Amino acid sequence: MEYQIKFIPQGRTLKVRPGTSVLRAAREARVFISTRCDGHAGCLMCKVEVEPEHASALTPPSDAELRKLGPLLDQGIRLACQAQICGSAEVRLPEDPLKAAIRKQLERQKENDDLW
């Protein structure tokens, strides 16, 4: 049995076996997710977002996720290194903070250019 996981916004889809971590699936799909702890829930860099309709396609939060993410779990945030796939799902990767800052600056600049 295999499940399908789709990474948003990259649009990459991959079939994986049950129990595969989201981080491992991302690596197999060649989707980059930052991590420093090599999947031990130590760095909290591998946060991903799962919409409520896909939440049941991942295993329940591990003890490490419960301790480290707390209320973020209610917002659909999971650690890719801890969440394991147990159904077909879509996972959203947050925008890189540096890219987000550059995008916001360019948007502000464009708004100012429109004024002139």
Side-chain angles (χ1 to χ4, degrees):
M1 176 182 283
E2 290 185 322
Y3 295 114
Q4 186 169 297
I5 184 164
K6 183 175 183 176
F7 293 96
I8 308 292
Q10 292 81 359
R12 298 219 178 128
T13 303
L14 179 74
K15 289 187 178 184
V16 296
R17 292 182 185 171
T20 303
S21 74
V22 173
L23 181 61
R24 183 175 192 73
R27 288 178 177 167
E28 289 178 19
R30 297 185 183 196
V31 171
F32 178 73
I33 297 178
S34 295
T35 182
R36 286 191 190 141
C37 68
D38 200 30
H40 300 302
C43 67
L44 302 179
M45 292 179 68
C46 65
K47 292 184 205 116
V48 294
E49 184 179 347
V50 180
E51 297 294 328
E53 62 268 17
H54 295 283
S56 64
L58 301 179
T59 55
S62 66
D63 288 339
E65 283 183 288
L66 291 169
R67 279 192 318 274
K68 305 230 178 191
L69 293 178
L72 290 175
L73 287 167
D74 296 334
Q75 299 172 28
I77 304 298
R78 297 291 305 268
L79 294 178
C81 68
Q82 298 296 300
Q84 295 181 355
I85 300 162
C86 59
S88 294
E90 288 185 4
V91 175
R92 179 172 297 283
L93 277 65
E95 187 175 21
D96 177 83
L98 179 58
K99 288 181 182 178
I102 292 169
R103 181 184 48 74
K104 288 177 185 174
Q105 181 63 34
L106 290 172
E107 287 172 358
R108 272 186 250 135
Q109 187 176 4
K110 185 177 187 290
E111 287 173 10
N112 291 334
D113 286 348
D114 289 345
L115 295 175
W116 301 101

